[in-house]
Amino acid sequence: TLRVPPTIPALAPEFPDFTELMTSTKTMETMVLMLEANRVNDTILDQSRNFTVLGVDSAAFRDVSLSSFLVVYSNDQWSGHTRDILHTHIIVEPQRNHILADGDQLETLAGTTVTVTSTNLTLHVNGVEISDPRSASNGMLYFADQIMY
């Protein structure tokens, strides 16, 4: 009798890291540059930790006064402030690929607590609209329509 070997299931595809995912969207170039310039990128690429990143669309940075943004972005004395803003957009998660839900209260890298609310089937984090969740290698990326301060 001929025995057929069992079928081996295909391996699940690996998810890209946060930088790859944000770069591939073509709309978060400013956020990627800020994460790298402020050495926050190293934190979210740490595969031993899980995060939800609220990636801000580059268009949202246009709403900020360009002159004040450049001072904050490029001046060493302001780098701590910029890092705090970036840390506000990174939620520390106890598990990988946590899907945000109405009523969640979660801690950010900045040490603040953010609240998720749902209005007309649209999710918000502290009033900022988020959408289009995507899996990353150690968490989830959501698109945020504006910067949280």
Side-chain angles (χ1 to χ4, degrees):
T1 308
L2 182 61
R3 298 184 107 195
V4 177
T7 304
I8 299 173
L11 295 175
E14 282 196 34
F15 294 108
D17 66 40
F18 284 110
T19 302
E20 294 168 339
L21 195 53
M22 286 189 281
T23 302
S24 73
T25 68
K26 305 288 185 212
T27 62
M28 294 187 191
E29 298 91 353
T30 305
M31 180 101 178
V32 171
L33 289 172
M34 289 181 65
L35 289 167
E36 290 172 349
N38 288 279
R39 295 178 292 284
V40 177
N41 202 37
D42 295 339
T43 302
I44 63 173
L45 295 178
D46 178 355
Q47 296 298 309
S48 68
R49 300 176 74 190
N50 300 302
F51 301 102
T52 292
V53 175
L54 307 176
V56 179
D57 190 290
S58 292
F61 288 100
R62 291 185 207 117
D63 295 337
V64 178
S65 163
L66 185 59
S67 60
S68 64
F69 172 72
L70 289 175
V71 168
V72 170
Y73 178 59
S74 62
N75 189 329
D76 283 342
Q77 75 183 33
W78 290 100
S79 64
H81 179 65
T82 305
R83 198 171 302 114
D84 288 345
I85 291 171
L86 293 170
H87 283 176
T88 301
H89 292 80
I90 301 169
I91 298 168
V92 181
E93 294 287 1
Q95 63 188 26
R96 187 177 168 278
N97 292 346
H98 172 85
I99 302 295
L100 300 181
D102 187 37
D104 283 351
Q105 292 194 331
L106 305 160
E107 186 176 341
T108 69
L109 273 181
T112 59
T113 300
V114 294
T115 302
V116 180
T117 55
S118 178
T119 307
N120 298 327
L121 302 176
T122 301
L123 285 178
H124 296 83
V125 174
N126 285 9
V128 172
E129 184 177 322
I130 61 168
S131 61
D132 199 16
R134 298 181 185 193
S135 293
S137 58
N138 62 323
M140 294 294 290
L141 171 69
Y142 284 81
F143 288 72
D145 70 342
Q146 58 185 299
I147 301 168
M148 287 192 305
Y149 293 97

